[in-house]
Amino acid sequence: MKRLGVAVLALVTSACGTTVPGATSSSTSAAEGTGGLGGPGAPLTAGGPATAPGVTGGAPGVTTSGGGTSGTQPGATTTTSTGGGSVGGTTASALRATYPGVTASSISIAVSVSGTGSGAGEQVGQAFGVAGFSSAPEKPLIQAMINHVNAQGGILGRKLVPVWHTIDAADTRPYAEQSQEACATYTEDNKVFAHLNVVSDETFFACMQQRGTVGIERRVVGSDKVTRGFPSIFTVSDLDYTTALALTVRDLVQERFLTKTSVIGVLQTDTPDFDRVRKDGIERELARTGLHITKTYRVTPVQGTSDAATAVRDAQAAVLQFASAGVDRVLFAQPNGALFDIAFMKQAEQQGYRPDYGLSSHDGPVALVGGNAPAAQLDGSRGVGWGPYDDFTDVPKAQMSPAVARCLAVYKKAGVAPPNDRGQLNQYLGFCATYELFAAIARAAGPELTRSSFIAAGERLGRGFDDPFAITGASLRSPGRHEGVTAWQPITYVTSCDCYRPAGAVERLQ
């Protein structure tokens, strides 16, 4: 649920959201068989150094008026609008209500904000002891992006109209209940067309999909099966956990970080979905080279700041079990990124246990450094990264997307104070990328804006979006491929700077 998910995203730039055990999507057929990038167990091939194509699509003002098919849509209407003028080659008089949440002049979108005066990241930082990362109030950032899109002509003449919902970080109700409440706000009390960077939670996604919406989210919430189950959602550059951990394991084996003498331990969130992540992402890849997991410790799902004490107890117990089993290589399969990594590493250091860690961008390496995790624990850690702003304290200049400067310029023009740390920077970029990706796809869908035309347009987008979180901005969206990531690189901890840096060439992920 977003009460923790937003805080994790803004605070430590790791993956947000918690998979709700037993939650299922209402449909999987539209994208079945894609298996993330290659599917579970399929070869993950690295093709040579990645190039940085001059991606220019997705910039404000795109006026593509192409089609896509609308099909039969629930509740669609055909009310004809009046008026004149032309936007993006489409006359205003030709626009009409085409789908729930879409009128001749507007598109209703679901947005949510923290109930606290500041961003929710402040509470998470205090609870988990993570310093140097904060989050700003969300509403000014969201409103700035809505105003920006609307000032550029909206979506072919249609203005974005937000439907706000407040998430209370102190709410102790089950995630499923909060998710259903948010869904009802957006689809029963109101009628929205899309949710934009709202609630990263399976229950919410399933409810919204059943009601016929589309979505753009900053993060993937679980396994490849989860991403296939929500074909109406596109993601700013990220990887599902199955694909990410398979890629991580393959690279660590190639680099001989994992060998037949390694004693491998996995810290896994105790949900059915992360059972699948472990089996299809880690175990299957290890089995290719005759390796196996020696010890798995299942971690209680973290759902809010009140669970910090439980996370620490889990970390203490896991350290004891791993040390007793002689585990010398540790992998994480859990959606709370640096938060739990740090808790585990602190307990390990207190108990004099120093394994080597295999990490990825999901672990938010940039948040592990700077004293958050003991440097002695980080020494020797390696991994793979696909998000430079998640990975590095100092992002290599060659890997900075032009979209970063463009996004910050939007906020500056809106009078929003500049971000004051990495947590806020990633928060700002996350909202900007979400809204610009939505605008790029919706404009490409043309005047007949429906769920079907939106999905079709998104899958035609290809490399037509400059993504601030992708390496050099290069991202790809195509049929069955909604997550954007095209490239990755090996990363390693460097003691002299207490930071992570690239440890090899950027590679294509195919």
Side-chain angles (χ1 to χ4, degrees), residues 123-174:
Q123 298 178 42
V124 175
Q126 293 173 7
F128 284 84
V130 179
F133 294 80
S134 65
S135 58
E138 297 101 350
K139 191 166 186 176
L141 305 180
I142 295 170
Q143 192 64 60
M145 291 311 307
I146 291 172
N147 293 346
H148 174 67
V149 172
N150 288 342
Q152 300 297 320
I155 307 299
L156 304 183
R158 294 182 171 108
K159 301 293 186 180
L160 300 184
V161 177
V163 174
W164 301 93
H165 179 71
T166 299
I167 301 295
D168 185 357
D171 194 336
T172 58
R173 290 178 298 161

Side-chain angles (χ1 to χ4, degrees), residues 94 264 364 420 439 443 467:
I264 302 170
N420 60 25
R443 286 164 178 155
D467 195 322

Side-chain angles (χ1 to χ4, degrees), residues 116-317:
T116 60
S118 60
E122 314 303 328
Q123 298 178 42
V124 175
Q126 293 173 7
F128 284 84
V130 179
F133 294 80
S134 65
S135 58
E138 297 101 350
K139 191 166 186 176
L141 305 180
I142 295 170
Q143 192 64 60
M145 291 311 307
I146 291 172
N147 293 346
H148 174 67
V149 172
N150 288 342
Q152 300 297 320
I155 307 299
L156 304 183
R158 294 182 171 108
K159 301 293 186 180
L160 300 184
V161 177
V163 174
W164 301 93
H165 179 71
T166 299
I167 301 295
D168 185 357
D171 194 336
T172 58
R173 290 178 298 161
Y175 274 20
E177 183 178 342
Q178 295 184 59
S179 294
Q180 291 291 344
E181 179 180 84
C183 180
T185 296
Y186 296 137
T187 63
E188 295 176 14
D189 302 338
N190 302 275
K191 298 293 182 183
V192 302
F193 173 69
H195 51 93
L196 303 185
N197 200 6
V198 178
V199 181
S200 294
D201 168 90
E202 275 193 79
T203 300
F204 177 79
F205 289 167
C207 180
M208 294 295 284
Q209 179 165 275
Q210 187 178 29
R211 307 296 171 83
T213 67
V214 302
I216 303 290
E217 295 294 335
R218 171 64 187 98
R219 298 287 181 173
V220 173
V221 301
S223 68
D224 61 313
K225 182 178 179 180
V226 169
T227 61
R228 291 199 308 271
F230 301 110
S232 61
I233 297 177
F234 290 81
T235 310
V236 176
S237 286
D238 200 11
L239 285 178
D240 69 81
Y241 282 78
T242 310
T243 303
L245 282 164
L247 174 64
T248 301
V249 168
R250 177 165 295 190
D251 180 67
L252 293 177
V253 169
Q254 291 175 345
E255 296 296 326
R256 299 195 58 78
F257 178 91
L258 297 176
T259 69
K260 291 185 177 180
T261 64
S262 299
V263 182
I264 302 170
V266 173
L267 287 155
Q268 177 218 309
T269 293
D270 190 12
T271 65
D273 191 53
F274 276 87
D275 282 337
R276 291 191 291 266
V277 168
R278 187 195 73 250
K279 293 175 182 177
D280 295 339
I282 299 176
E283 291 180 351
R284 188 172 295 183
E285 194 60 42
L286 287 173
R288 293 181 188 277
T289 51
L291 305 183
H292 67 278
I293 298 170
T294 299
K295 186 72 177 178
T296 297
Y297 186 92
R298 287 175 171 80
V299 178
T300 304
V302 175
Q303 300 189 26
T305 56
S306 61
D307 295 321
T310 300
V312 171
R313 287 195 297 270
D314 270 340
Q316 290 172 333

Side-chain angles (χ1 to χ4, degrees), residues 331-413:
L331 304 174
F332 296 93
Q334 51 85 31
N336 296 299
L339 293 181
F340 188 79
D341 293 19
I342 290 169
F344 180 86
M345 291 176 186
K346 286 181 175 179
Q347 293 302 315
E349 188 65 17
Q350 289 178 16
Q351 297 182 39
Y353 171 58
R354 291 180 178 174
D356 289 334
Y357 299 92
L359 307 171
S360 77
S361 292
H362 280 157
D363 294 288
V366 70
L368 299 176
V369 301
N372 284 326
Q377 290 287 314
L378 301 177
D379 191 19
S381 60
R382 291 184 62 92
V384 301
W386 57 86
Y389 284 88
D390 291 339
D391 302 333
F392 308 130
T393 305
D394 296 310
V395 176
K397 188 173 182 179
Q399 296 182 17
M400 292 181 182
S401 165
V404 175
R406 186 177 70 239
C407 286
L408 294 180
V410 170
Y411 293 118
K412 182 177 180 179
K413 184 177 180 180

